[in-house]
Amino acid sequence: MIDIEKDYGSLIDKLCKLIKSSKTFDLAIEYTLKIHAITHTSEVSSSSMQTYCDDLLSGLKNEDFNIIPTEKNKPITYHLWHIARIEDLVGNLLIMKQSQIFNDDWMARMNVSVRDTGNAMDAVQIFDFCKRTNKQELINYRNAVGCQTRKILKSLTANDLKQKPESEYLLRLVSEGGLLENKNSIWLKDFWGRHTVAGLVLLPLTRHHMMHLPECMAIKQFIKSKVER
């Protein structure tokens, strides 16, 4: 399994350099796919190696997904939802200008009543959301998004990386419920709109996952320590 503190950071540093030049485009995509695979289950990348995400999910019970060690933490359920929704919205709407994976069928399967990224949820809303969500279907949804992202990455050209999201699709982030007209949510529309596709690859599709998964791993370790006492 990857050393998250050492190897992952090194891969990101290399990608940041490679993605700046069209001459190293093919290698940049290769690194992107490698980094992306780390943050998803091995099912997504068809890897024979256990990923960081595999290690996180292994052995977790259904109730473990809703545990928060302190008031500063958010449950694993929330983190998985948040990073999956952002990857779906950015990869499909903003980069590929196509429909997102998320739809009414996925809403029903996951037993959720919201469509947005969860940025504007307060603690009570997060608790209620996590309690109701079907955990396995959430993992299935994230896997589906991850598989789609890999197709997207493999379809990109060097010129695509220089493009910025079109206004029509930025507006669809809101009209389709991915973002809310709330200051804690709507800021993402302008933030993503300022970035090129290369920038979107470097954050929402790669580094953003590791802004959340380590906290999930810390929660897992907390649960393990409680069991061992």
Side-chain angles (χ1 to χ4, degrees):
M1 190 186 70
I2 192 162
D3 183 326
I4 186 59
E5 296 296 334
K6 179 182 176 182
D7 300 333
Y8 185 82
S10 176
L11 286 171
I12 285 291
D13 289 342
K14 289 178 181 177
L15 176 58
C16 287
K17 295 175 183 177
L18 292 169
I19 208 166
K20 292 178 181 178
S21 173
S22 58
K23 295 179 180 179
T24 52
F25 169 76
D26 290 339
L27 192 55
I29 295 299
E30 181 182 326
Y31 267 81
T32 302
L33 289 167
K34 185 181 296 186
I35 291 167
H36 182 267
I38 293 164
T39 64
H40 283 272
T41 66
S42 51
E43 178 182 335
V44 170
S45 56
S46 300
S47 173
S48 59
M49 301 285 289
Q50 186 175 24
T51 69
Y52 186 80
C53 187
D54 287 331
D55 190 49
L56 166 65
L57 297 176
S58 177
L60 283 179
K61 298 177 182 178
N62 197 64
E63 59 268 25
D64 294 339
F65 285 83
N66 298 341
I67 289 175
I68 51 171
T70 73
E71 292 182 356
K72 295 181 179 180
N73 297 115
K74 293 182 176 67
I76 293 172
T77 300
Y78 172 86
H79 287 288
L80 295 179
W81 168 265
H82 175 71
I83 56 181
R85 289 298 293 124
I86 284 181
E87 182 177 355
D88 191 0
L89 291 163
V90 171
N92 289 295
L93 279 182
L94 300 189
I95 294 178
M96 287 304 289
K97 294 175 282 190
Q98 64 186 15
S99 297
Q100 54 180 307
I101 297 290
F102 186 80
N103 56 24
D104 290 343
D105 179 53
W106 276 112
M107 281 190 76
R109 288 170 61 177
M110 289 187 281
N111 194 37
V112 298
S113 58
V114 299
R115 297 175 178 271
D116 64 284
T117 63
N119 283 71
M121 287 184 184
D122 60 27
V124 174
Q125 290 170 324
I126 288 174
F127 176 77
D128 183 65
F129 168 81
C130 294
K131 180 176 64 175
R132 297 170 182 271
T133 302
N134 183 306
K135 312 306 187 289
Q136 185 55 56
E137 289 297 346
L138 172 58
I139 293 169
N140 292 343
Y141 166 63
R142 186 165 184 257
N143 283 348
V145 171
C147 288
Q148 178 72 357
T149 295
R150 298 184 75 77
K151 293 178 183 178
I152 291 169
L153 291 170
K154 292 173 184 178
S155 74
L156 293 176
T157 66
N159 187 59
D160 289 332
L161 295 182
K162 303 173 185 177
Q163 308 305 312
K164 287 189 175 183
E166 295 182 7
S167 58
E168 173 188 347
Y169 294 91
L170 288 166
L171 291 172
R172 281 179 61 176
L173 292 171
V174 181
S175 66
E176 295 183 15
L179 298 180
L180 303 178
E181 293 283 3
N182 176 299
K183 65 179 182 179
N184 294 320
S185 178
I186 197 64
W187 68 272
L188 282 167
K189 180 168 73 72
D190 292 333
F191 178 74
W192 291 333
R194 291 195 297 268
H195 285 74
T196 61
V197 168
L200 297 177
V201 166
L202 283 172
L203 186 54
L205 298 192
T206 52
R207 284 185 293 172
H208 183 244
H209 297 281
M210 282 306 184
M211 293 168 64
H212 291 271
L213 292 180
E215 183 173 337
C216 297
M217 189 67 80
I219 292 173
K220 182 180 181 180
Q221 293 305 316
F222 169 82
I223 295 168
K224 183 179 178 182
S225 69
K226 288 290 185 180
V227 172
E228 293 175 347
R229 286 181 184 176

